[in-house]
Amino acid sequence: MALAPSTQRIYRALLVTNWAFPDDPGLAPLLGPEHDAEVLRAALTAPGVGLHRLADVRVVADASQRDILIALDEFFGEATRDDQLLLYYSGHGKLDLHGNLHLAARDTRSDRIMSTGIPARAVVDMMTASRAKAKVVLLDCCHSGGFKAAPDLPRHLGGKGVFVIASGLSVQLTKDAEKAGEPSPFTGFAADCLATGQPDRDGDGYVSVDDLYSHVADRMADAGLSTPQRTFDDTVDTVAIARTPLPIPRVKAPVDLPVDSSVVLADFLRAEAETKPWIQAPLYRAVAAGGQGDWSTLAALRLARLTDDVNERDRAYRQVVAANHPEWSPEAAYAIAENTIHSATAAFNPEVIVDAYKAVVEYNHPAVSPRAALKVAELQIPMVTDPHEAIRKVGGYLDLAATDPELAEMAMLTYCLLYEAADEPEVAKAYLRRAESLRASPSA
């Protein structure tokens, strides 16, 4: 069972890809790595299932050995104990004469691999020194199994909390994408797992690194490709790398509700059969006041939607909220928040509206809470002058809003505008690309 993500844990990722090697004609250009980082970043940050925020995923593409080593040092060296780190590499992997693995950079030369490549040993040393409790490594390259098999590496590759998944054995080559515009097979299979939140083999609500390895190994075997390898620290539990999508509950029909009184049932059914609101209203009003459990709660909800009396509507919605029904109470709380916008108190104190929507968010209802979360973000952003502070304040609400496919594009655009204001254009562009991809794929 995967350790459930804590509220304090921050998920950070460094995605390194290299596909061109102009200093060495012997290192053939690659097709997959040019697209692998974007595919994996989209999967790690997928609305509803991704545990990573887009701002916490850094891509280093087609970079020199020096730039990659600096990025690795920053990534592992600046981590805190609350961070879960994911390092991904896609490109050429080469073994030196001693069988040690080196990852290729843009300026790597295979005849000088020890001085121009990225030694796996150096990566392990950085992981060992990092304060992060959990580190996940995904390697999509030839000889990637050498990351665990090289004789100079410690048994657990840096110690406690390290989980490595390699695309093949140390003696195997890993298949590149067959044509331009496609991800490498290993990365594509991993991205499928992360973006869908499946499989969750133990049903705990999370995709663990064990689930990810099993999925990728099965898919690679089915395709007749290299044999993925895993090296997990067996002294700690496995870690979550994605969540499974939440099912949207359905409201049960009235006939499934407990019947407390034949008189109440008769009045409720009469109201349901009527089409004239002036006949429905007094029937719903009587049932709502009858103290008959769910029947009265549902009648109050029907009355609130029906009545033109503002005070009666407010009282009815509050009755539904007080009933703490898993489906109807969040809807009623959202309606109260909407009505609060027009109140005199809210005109002088906008925080009143924010608090009303926050109350809806706390229900954690998969259909209603994301709408309320987007409202909270939209209301709070103008209250904060510093864009970085605004991002910290509303990021969690935007992430929740993004779990609703109908709101995900707006959440990504809001992030884009915030990061533009924060003078972080590259992050802003990444969110804009995400919004555009959501617009192009309405079902995403």
Side-chain angles (χ1 to χ4, degrees):
M1 178 175 291
L3 291 176
S6 68
T7 55
Q8 292 81 25
R9 178 160 290 188
I10 299 174
Y11 295 83
R12 303 188 189 280
L14 176 63
L15 314 182
V16 181
T17 58
N18 278 87
W19 59 88
F21 309 91
D23 291 351
D24 187 348
L27 290 174
L30 298 170
L31 298 175
E34 189 170 359
H35 307 280
D36 284 342
E38 286 301 321
V39 170
L40 192 61
R41 176 162 62 177
L44 290 170
T45 60
V49 295
L51 294 175
H52 293 72
R53 290 178 56 187
L54 197 54
D56 294 324
V57 180
R58 180 184 177 187
V59 174
V60 177
D62 218 21
S64 67
Q65 178 206 43
R66 179 179 182 276
D67 288 344
I68 294 173
L69 285 171
I70 290 174
L72 288 166
D73 195 14
E74 292 173 345
F75 181 62
F76 289 112
E78 297 175 2
T80 70
R81 289 181 58 81
D82 291 328
D83 290 342
Q84 178 172 310
L85 304 182
L86 185 150
L87 171 64
Y88 165 81
Y89 173 80
S90 176
H92 278 302
K94 301 291 287 184
L95 298 179
D96 62 25
L97 294 177
H98 303 286
N100 301 318
L101 176 67
H102 299 259
L103 309 177
R106 180 176 176 83
D107 53 356
T108 293
R109 289 173 49 186
S110 54
D111 62 340
R112 292 288 182 268
I113 191 65
M114 295 181 70
S115 59
T116 62
I118 310 294
R121 172 75 260 177
V123 179
V124 172
D125 287 343
M126 294 182 201
M127 289 195 301
T128 302
S130 178
R131 290 176 294 173
K133 290 181 179 178
K135 303 110 175 173
V136 178
V137 180
L138 302 180
L139 295 177
D140 189 355
C141 62
C142 296
H143 310 294
S144 55
F147 195 84
K148 74 180 182 66
D152 65 328
L153 299 188
R155 179 172 177 268
H156 287 301
L157 293 175
K160 187 172 182 179
V162 178
F163 305 85
V164 181
I165 300 178
S167 59
L169 299 167
S170 62
V171 296
Q172 281 185 316
L173 303 181
T174 297
K175 187 175 178 61
D176 187 17
E178 291 188 347
K179 57 184 179 181
E182 292 183 349
S184 308
F186 174 85
T187 298
F189 296 147
D192 288 343
C193 174
L194 298 172
T196 60
Q198 297 293 338
D200 171 19
R201 295 174 187 267
D202 59 7
D204 64 353
Y206 296 96
V207 176
S208 68
V209 286
D210 296 276
D211 294 326
L212 176 63
Y213 170 77
S214 297
H215 173 81
V216 172
D218 289 346
R219 295 289 298 275
M220 293 284 279
D222 292 343
L225 301 175
S226 56
T227 306
Q229 299 296 292
R230 53 173 278 176
T231 299
F232 292 175
D233 176 11
D234 55 13
T235 66
V236 296
D237 287 328
T238 186
V239 294
I241 198 169
R243 61 169 65 89
T244 56
L246 290 173
I248 297 179
R250 303 294 181 185
V251 179
K252 292 183 178 180
V255 294
D256 294 330
L257 296 170
V259 179
D260 299 302
S261 165
S262 58
V263 175
V264 170
L265 176 59
D267 284 346
F268 185 88
L269 294 179
R270 280 180 58 202
E272 291 286 287
E274 274 291 344
T275 58
K276 301 178 179 63
W278 60 86
I279 296 177
Q280 288 177 305
L283 292 170
Y284 284 135
R285 193 176 294 120
V287 177
Q292 300 298 321
D294 283 345
W295 288 106
S296 295
T297 301
L298 184 55
L301 184 61
R302 296 277 200 269
L303 178 62
R305 295 169 178 168
L306 190 67
T307 183
D308 293 325
D309 186 322
V310 175
N311 292 327
E312 182 176 48
R313 181 186 306 125
D314 185 70
R315 287 194 303 271
Y317 276 133
R318 292 186 185 281
Q319 177 181 338
V320 178
V321 170
N324 201 27
H325 190 279
E327 288 297 325
W328 306 327
S329 295
E331 179 185 339
Y334 188 88
I336 291 173
E338 293 280 272
N339 294 335
T340 303
I341 295 175
H342 306 293
S343 70
T345 304
F348 296 99
N349 185 10
E351 288 288 352
V352 172
I353 309 174
V354 174
D355 289 343
Y357 282 115
K358 284 182 177 179
V360 183
V361 172
E362 290 175 1
Y363 281 101
N364 200 27
H365 187 280
V368 182
S369 292
R371 283 188 284 143
L374 186 59
K375 290 284 190 179
V376 171
E378 291 173 344
L379 290 165
Q380 285 195 319
I381 288 171
M383 300 178 185
V384 184
T385 56
D386 179 12
H388 288 97
E389 177 62 26
I391 293 168
R392 287 191 291 271
K393 199 163 188 176
V394 306
Y397 293 106
L398 289 175
D399 291 343
L400 176 57
T403 63
D404 185 330
E406 295 183 0
L407 305 177
E409 180 186 348
M410 179 58 68
M412 296 301 104
L413 288 173
T414 304
Y415 263 132
C416 174
L417 294 173
L418 285 171
Y419 277 102
E420 279 185 350
D423 197 24
E424 296 190 36
E426 291 304 314
V427 179
K429 288 178 184 177
Y431 277 110
L432 180 60
R433 287 194 295 270
R434 170 59 61 80
E436 291 171 344
S437 69
L438 289 168
R439 187 182 308 130
S441 305
S443 61

